[in-house]
Amino acid sequence: MLAAARKDALLDRLRRDGRLVVKDIAVELGLSEDSIRRDLRELDAAGLAVRVYGGALPASPAVADYAARHEVARGSKERVAAAAVALIESGSTVLLDGGTTTLAMVDLLPRSFGGRIITHSPTIAAALLDHDAEVVILGGRLFKHSAVACGAAAMEAAQNVSADLFFLGVTGVHPETGLSTGDAEEAAMKRALAARAAETFVLASEEKLGAASRFGILPLDGVSGIIADLDPDAALAADLRRAGARLVPVDPS
């Protein structure tokens, strides 16, 4: 089997099963485990898979650059955003992560909302200029890929705030690897923000579900809920619940 055909077979298996075990696929394809591992290293380097012990998981498409992510799963992000906004009570203090789903939340948040919004995203802060809410920006080194502040200064600033709710953006939600993202510093910043909120809810549009990224943020049971654009009867939903996830329903209409 040619290398290109092998890689296509591996990607098909990842899409179908949500994971790949090297020793099993080697037997199935009649290839050596070394050949499979080499292919997986190349797929990982190309951003098409995430290698884990013994195999691989599907790579999240949500690690694309910020501009490209605006066009990914727009309808799904709007459904998740609507469910998230419904959780916000009048007068509350809300931490908003960066990202395109939180930007969709701002679009749906009533302009008359009179609470306080804290964010480390200049994009989110600018989108709130016409809202009545008080806006607090956490500064630091700008991580341009996600348009958020990260690094030591941002982490220190996060220690001085507290909130009722934190809406956490991720790039992967997987039963085995939990909640993940593509950058180590960004993952650390997300954990720091989650620690400052009474409740944390994950924004999980369809392209993030069943996918994984390289850096873990929190386990599935480490948050109050996952707002998942997912059929509650789907096999993945059952797998996530078994792994400790508390799924918040999304209106499919």
Side-chain angles (χ1 to χ4, degrees):
M1 183 181 289
L2 296 176
R6 289 200 312 267
K7 291 175 185 176
D8 286 342
L10 297 178
L11 290 173
D12 286 342
R13 174 56 61 89
L14 284 172
R15 284 189 287 266
R16 190 188 78 187
D17 296 344
R19 68 189 303 272
L20 185 153
V21 178
V22 169
K23 63 180 182 179
D24 292 343
I25 196 70
V27 171
E28 180 180 329
L29 298 180
L31 298 167
S32 71
E33 293 185 17
D34 285 343
S35 293
I36 300 298
R37 292 191 186 95
R38 182 170 59 251
D39 290 340
L40 290 179
R41 283 195 296 271
E42 293 177 3
L43 289 172
D44 186 294
L48 299 174
V50 174
R51 292 179 66 212
V52 295
Y53 181 76
L57 301 174
S60 173
V63 295
D65 64 79
Y66 190 80
R69 292 203 305 275
H70 276 283
E71 305 305 316
V72 176
R74 295 182 68 171
S76 181
K77 291 173 181 176
E78 290 170 0
R79 290 189 291 272
V80 170
V85 168
L87 297 174
I88 300 175
E89 296 183 0
S90 177
S92 59
T93 296
V94 180
L95 266 168
L96 284 184
D97 205 346
T100 52
T101 309
T102 43
L103 195 58
M105 283 184 64
V106 172
D107 289 341
L108 295 173
L109 185 70
R111 292 176 184 253
S112 59
F113 171 69
R116 173 184 298 163
I117 295 179
I118 305 169
T119 184
H120 65 313
S121 167
T123 306
I124 297 298
L128 288 162
L129 286 175
D130 294 329
H131 286 68
D132 293 342
E134 177 187 353
V135 179
V136 177
I137 306 174
L138 305 180
R141 181 182 60 81
L142 182 64
F143 180 48
K144 294 183 180 180
H145 179 272
S146 298
V148 293
C150 289
M155 293 280 284
E156 183 177 355
Q159 304 310 310
N160 296 314
V161 301
S162 60
D164 301 301
L165 297 172
F166 172 41
F167 290 99
L168 167 63
V170 303
T171 58
V173 179
H174 195 280
E176 292 184 31
T177 55
L179 308 171
S180 57
T181 193
D183 180 81
E185 283 196 16
E186 190 177 14
M189 185 66 187
K190 290 173 186 291
R191 282 192 296 274
L193 292 173
R196 306 307 302 170
E199 294 185 284
T200 293
F201 289 92
V202 176
L203 304 171
S205 48
E206 60 189 11
E207 81 283 10
K208 299 161 187 173
L209 295 164
S213 292
R214 191 171 301 280
F215 298 99
I217 304 169
L218 290 166
L220 295 173
D221 61 0
V223 294
S224 304
I226 298 173
I227 306 172
D229 189 17
L230 177 66
D231 182 343
D233 297 323
L236 177 58
D239 290 343
L240 290 169
R241 285 192 290 265
R242 277 193 295 271
R246 292 175 287 275
L247 300 181
V248 178
V250 169
D251 186 348
S253 61

